[in-house]
């Protein structure tokens, strides 16, 4: 049981890293990876929303969707979006400091494909409540790791002499490709475990 | 670099553009992927073969055209405050239809595409077109616009898919191109290849644009010199 959970965590964090291996959540990866500080906060906010999603999806899958499987997509989207909105309001009320650190990212994240993808993966693999939470935690850590790695590389190439055509997204994609190449090395963990 | 957050206020068109322009702009000049960098997740994730790219392109095209038609038809009855939620509901409905359709028609490719069929819901191109165009334009123009943008998305996917399958497997639509002695460049069908291919495609587009502006500027100065001489 324990090793099972560890395996889910490692697999979702590095072996099947959401951003670098599955191309999920690319908008924040390309958009807000300019500074390490922002990247860290974005990663934390993402993990937070993923955890909420995992709980909501587990509840939906257990109590609602067996009766209406064709409503799966619509239910996921509506429930996740409204839940994040509610949590945002609660945080704003309870902890203004936390809200200032994460708040502006929360609405953006709801429309992120990583969130819906987590819901779908969790359903397809029929994870239990605990497995789902660990999966969300691992995926969130993976997203944060990718964001921070990208931000630190971008901070160092900021002053590099790059040809004008390659500046911007093309350069970021090249870096992402190299990072992804490096992460492929983790695939070995799968067969050895 | 421009912020790539998936907001939808971009890509507006002037009120009295001719119908041809509604259709044509999405293909190249305002191509959603190559110019506006929207919908990158599917562009990278499912383009490891031409067949996958085509099926994904057709599914997205169907959802985009269907939602644009419906949104534009009912746009007068959607209250402004809940328009985004309504758009998402409409889109999610069409995606569910597309999901069941693909599952029935091409089960193998449906399996290969994995979660990315369902993820058409969060493709920014679709919500973007509803917000920027279909929500405020008549049905005919909205459908033309959706057809153009959908075709532009398919074009981008096809470019990506062709490059990746030809280099990465040495085949095109599973037909071998270079004979048995070709050593496939496997990295191109794996995730890093997606990033690299898109980087090079964007580089080519940027380079093309740079040359065009340079040429236009050269022509302008030539004309200025000519005018001066004549005077």
């Amino acid at each position: 049981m324990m090793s099972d959970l560890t395996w889910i965590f490692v697999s979702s964090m590095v072996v099947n890293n959401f951003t670098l291996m599955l191309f999920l959540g690319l908008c924040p990866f390309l958009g807000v990876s300019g500074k390490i500080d922002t990247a860290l906060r974005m990663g934390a906010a993402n993990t937070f929303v993923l955890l909420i999603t995992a709980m909501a999806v587990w509840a939906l899958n257990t109590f609602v969707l067996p009766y209406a499987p064709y409503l799966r997509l619509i239910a996921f989207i509506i429930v996740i979006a409204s839940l994040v909105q509610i949590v945002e309001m609660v945080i704003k009320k309870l902890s203004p400091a936390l809200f200032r650190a994460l708040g502006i990212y929360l609405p953006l994240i709801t429309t992120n494909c990583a969130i819906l993808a987590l819901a779908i993966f969790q359903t397809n693999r029929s994870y239990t409540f605990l497995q789902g939470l660990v999966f969300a935690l691992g995926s969130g850590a993976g997203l944060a790791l990718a964001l921070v790695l990208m931000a630190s590389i971008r901070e160092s190439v900021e002053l590099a002499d790059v040809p004008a055509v390659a500046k911007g997204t093309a350069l970021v994609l090249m870096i992402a490709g190299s990072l992804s190449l490096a992460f492929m090395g983790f695939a070995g963990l799968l067969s050895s475990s | 670099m421009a912020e790539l957050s998936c907001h939808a206020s971009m890509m507006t068109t002037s009120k009295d553009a001719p119908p041809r322009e509604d259709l044509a702009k999405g293909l190249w000049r305002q191509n959603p992927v190559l110019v506006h960098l929207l919908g990158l997740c599917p562009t990278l994730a499912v383009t490891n073969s031409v067949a996958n790219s085509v099926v994904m392109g057709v599914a997205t095209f169907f959802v985009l055209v269907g939602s644009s038609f419906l949104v534009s038809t009912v746009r007068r009855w959607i209250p402004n405050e809940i328009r985004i939620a309504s758009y998402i509901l409409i889109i999610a409905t069409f995606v569910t239809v597309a999901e069941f359709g693909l599952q029935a028609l091409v089960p193998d490719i449906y399996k290969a595409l994995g979660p990315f069929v369902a993820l058409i819901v969060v493709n920014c191109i679709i919500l973007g077109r509803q917000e920027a165009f279909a929500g405020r334009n008549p049905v005919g123009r909205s459908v033309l616009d959706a057809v153009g943008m959908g075709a532009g998305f398919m074009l981008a996917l096809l470019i990506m898919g062709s490059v990746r399958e030809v280099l990465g497997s040495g085949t095109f639509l599973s037909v071998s191109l270079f004979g048995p002695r070709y050593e496939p460049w496997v990295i191109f069908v794996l995730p890093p290849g997606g990033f690299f291919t898109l980087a090079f495609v964007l580089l080519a587009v940027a380079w093309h644009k740079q040359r065009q502006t340079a040429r236009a500027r050269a022509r302008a100065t030539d004309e200025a010199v000519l005018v001066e001489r004549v005077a």
Side-chain angles (χ1 to χ4, degrees), chain A residues 8-14 16-20 39-40 42-48 50-51 118 133-149 183:
Chain A
I8 289 178
F9 184 80
V10 172
S11 154
S12 57
M13 181 169 164
V14 290
N16 291 309
N17 186 287
F18 262 29
T19 316
L20 294 170
L40 259 178
M42 187 69 183
N46 248 315
T47 313
F48 182 71
L50 283 171
L51 282 173
L118 179 104
L133 277 187
V134 172
F135 181 51
L137 208 60
S139 309
L143 281 174
L145 180 67
L147 271 169
V148 170
L149 279 176
F183 267 67

Side-chain angles (χ1 to χ4, degrees), chain B residues 37-94:
Chain B
L37 303 173
L38 296 171
L40 291 187
C41 297
T43 308
L44 287 164
V46 301
T47 50
N48 51 6
S49 78
V50 177
N52 287 359
S53 313
V54 169
V55 171
M56 187 65 184
V58 170
T60 311
F61 183 88
F62 164 76
V63 175
L64 179 53
V65 174
S67 345
S68 274
F69 172 77
L70 197 58
V71 163
S72 168
T73 312
V74 301
R75 70 184 187 280
R76 286 181 216 291
W77 296 294
I78 297 180
N80 199 39
E81 295 80 19
I82 57 157
R83 64 180 193 288
I84 301 280
S86 323
Y87 297 162
I88 291 181
L89 263 186
I90 291 173
I91 296 169
T93 313
F94 277 102

Side-chain angles (χ1 to χ4, degrees), chain A residues 73-118:
Chain A
L73 261 182
I74 298 177
F76 283 168
I77 291 182
I78 294 179
V79 171
I80 295 169
S82 32
L83 208 60
V84 171
Q85 202 91 63
I86 294 169
V87 172
E88 195 189 336
M89 285 190 260
V90 173
I91 295 182
K92 199 174 181 178
K93 188 87 186 160
L94 293 181
S95 162
L98 186 64
F99 181 76
R100 266 198 300 280
L102 303 182
I104 52 164
Y105 303 109
L106 290 179
L108 261 179
I109 292 169
T110 320
T111 55
N112 186 332
C113 36
I115 309 299
L116 189 60
L118 179 104

